[in-house]
Amino acid sequence: MQTIPLLDGGLLHYDPAFLPADEAATLFAVLMAETPWAQEGTGVRRFPRLTAWYANPGLTYTYSGVTHHATPWTPTLAALKTRLEAVAGTTWNSMLLNWYRDGSDSIGFHTDAEPELGVNPIIGSLSLGSPRRFIMKHMTSDAQHEFALGHGSLLIMGGTSQHHWRHGVPKTKQAVGPRINLTLRQISA
Ligand SMILES: O=C(O)CCC(=O)C(=O)O
Ligand SMILES: [Mn+2]
């Protein structure tokens, strides 16, 4: 695990090979098959990717104008969460899954700074499948970090990251295969 300090108190932990490739491939196949994928949003605000949100019972999470109600943990995701919590030294009660079907799927630059995440959230991010460019841009300077988040990689964003940096996965014209990203968050009820 690499530690990368960011300007203004952000802190990243990065392991490009957290899951062995064969295990990542099995997880990718299981998630493709058993996840109730949906394309959220309406009209021009329709998300250019498919999502699913797993969480402890009773929780809701609202972002980009869409309120997600908790889907109960599957055994696969519950076990994965426990394992990631041990590595990150924190606990999480929710997991957002994003499926980027090809290079025209994306997520725009944003912060994970919804009020229910608390002041300095720790966000865990596991990627599976085709590598995509994950870019972090500092809000008031030209500082930028980029990661080709690949199959089995783990990125943890902590410290003040969500106050001073936006992150996103831009569209690409290159031929890229599907990618699944799982982000873990602790949400207050
Ligand atoms: O797909 C990714 O790597 C990032 C996903 C993300 O930032 C989010 O869901 O908030
Ligand atoms: Mn995010």
Side-chain angles (χ1 to χ4, degrees):
M1 189 85 83
Q2 240 175 293
T3 298
I4 304 157
L6 300 180
L7 218 55
D8 292 332
L11 192 61
L12 303 180
H13 299 281
Y14 178 49
D15 184 345
F18 174 74
L19 288 183
D22 56 342
E23 196 185 345
T26 302
L27 183 58
F28 182 92
V30 168
L31 295 180
M32 267 310 169
E34 75 176 23
T35 306
W37 297 109
Q39 190 171 18
E40 303 282 3
T42 47
V44 291
R45 305 197 58 186
R46 209 164 158 78
F47 292 176
R49 61 190 178 280
L50 303 188
T51 60
W53 191 64
Y54 292 84
N56 291 358
L59 289 176
T60 61
Y61 182 42
T62 302
Y63 63 90
S64 300
V66 174
T67 298
H68 291 262
H69 296 273
T71 304
W73 296 103
T74 62
T76 300
L77 291 180
L80 181 64
K81 179 172 93 77
T82 301
R83 191 162 155 197
L84 291 168
E85 285 173 337
V87 173
T90 192
T91 55
W92 288 300
N93 60 12
S94 78
M95 195 189 271
L96 176 67
L97 272 58
N98 286 302
W99 171 17
Y100 304 85
R101 294 161 292 183
D102 59 28
S104 57
D105 277 353
S106 61
I107 189 164
F109 282 90
H110 67 280
T111 56
D112 295 345
E114 291 77 22
E116 57 266 47
L117 297 180
V119 177
N120 284 330
I122 299 173
I123 312 278
S125 167
L126 182 77
S127 296
L128 304 166
S130 206
R132 292 286 297 264
R133 294 173 70 206
F134 177 89
I135 302 171
M136 295 189 76
K137 289 185 182 182
H138 189 243
M139 289 182 190
T140 57
S141 78
D142 291 336
Q144 183 168 312
H145 293 268
E146 179 168 336
F147 302 87
L149 292 184
H151 196 46
S153 68
L154 176 64
L155 179 71
I156 299 168
M157 295 187 275
T160 61
S161 305
Q162 304 308 322
H163 296 285
H164 303 288
W165 297 79
R166 291 192 182 84
H167 58 272
V169 176
K171 296 182 193 305
T172 175
K173 292 215 158 64
Q174 276 160 16
V176 291
R179 166 176 184 260
I180 294 174
N181 174 264
L182 305 83
T183 50
L184 294 115
R185 297 169 166 82
Q186 181 68 25
I187 306 235
S188 60

